[in-house]
Amino acid sequence: MDKAIQIGLAKRLLAHAEAKTTDAAESQMRVPVTDYFDRRIWTSEVEKIYRQQPLAVALSCELPDAGSFLSLTILDTAVLITRTATGLRAFLNVCRHRGAVVAPENCSGRQTRFSCPYHGWTYDNEGRLLGVADAATFGPVDRASRGLTELAAAERSGLIFIVLTPGISFDIGQWMAGADRHMGLEQRLADYRLVGSRTVQAANWKLVVEGHLEAYHFAQLHRDSVGRFMVSNCTALDRFGPHILITFCQNSIHRLRDIPEAQWEPLREDMINPQYLMFPGTMVTIWDSAIIAQVIQPGAEPGSSVSRLVYGVKKDLADNDLAAAQAETMLDGVAKLVADEDYLASFQIQRGLASGAQDAILFGRNELGPILFHENLRQQMPFAAE
């Protein structure tokens, strides 16, 4: 993130922190509680948003070199992403013979050949069918038309984007809508090394996203954890097409009043905490020396979701044994925090919304992030607000 952008955000947040204000909406918003458990709405969200639009599914540092691969399961769809000598590729992780996976699910490594464990058909990392087991007895196969089914893929700002439905293409620059220039991260995150990933279960995916888009809950839900050093109910919001940047601030931001602006380092000093929502559900948090992505996706039914947390740090830290160990501890700590506090709350809220206690959620003007998020959803899913 450019220094001038950091300083601009810090100025906005410092003013809010001193005035005890926050970026706010012009009016409140009501969202029907059925939006969180109605199967018709949930099915349309999965099909129209998650399956037909670009998803930020991984960090670039998960595929550091040519020959790297990453297999993921997204919405019960097996996906294989490879980095080849010619660039990034993505495929359905499905053998074109009988439909078995060709790479073990949810793993990564270095591999340029993938062999189906069922009958041994073999593919390269460009998706080409290389070999058919016992071809003489199997009969003729048009290998050119039996390669892995390709998915549209792109890489920008250290993130890997794909579309889960074959045949749908996208322009990554248009999709990012300026968020990439604002983030300012090198496309491949070449200076970063993967620490690892963790998976956490939660309630409806929208409840999870909403929780990342406001600081109104910090003083209460996180009072014994991050709430001790964060300014509660104090945020700066920016919009890039369907994407949202929410920037939080720490209590230490008040120290900026005693420092000449030319010497401000708000990101390096952890005074501001920028978090981008890459629509629909990937949260990207940037620190001075690290990046973490929380890939939030709907679960098997409306009341469930899965979050994959991926953490990368600058290589000069990863090459230091102590710093590497601390990075692992950091990742475990983030996963535990969201599971024990944010996502536990999401399950409780899910039950509360289904109880009949109320017919709608009322988002306050100070909850601008969730309001912007639901405005974007309503543009995509107009019937959801009926």
Side-chain angles (χ1 to χ4, degrees), residues 221-222 224-226 336-346:
L221 184 65
H222 299 313
D224 296 322
S225 55
V226 296
K336 179 174 174 53
L337 174 69
V338 298
D340 292 351
E341 298 183 12
D342 298 272
Y343 294 0
L344 176 61
S346 77

Side-chain angles (χ1 to χ4, degrees), residues 28 43 57 120 175 238 240 314 363:
Q28 298 170 323
T43 299
V57 298
W175 175 247
D238 296 278
F240 305 89
K314 289 286 184 66
F363 287 105

Side-chain angles (χ1 to χ4, degrees), residues 174-196:
Q174 182 178 2
W175 175 247
M176 292 288 277
D180 49 346
R181 295 186 295 276
H182 198 269
M183 295 170 77
L185 292 175
E186 191 271 335
Q187 177 173 317
R188 286 273 309 277
L189 285 183
D191 294 332
Y192 288 71
R193 178 169 295 174
L194 176 69
V195 174

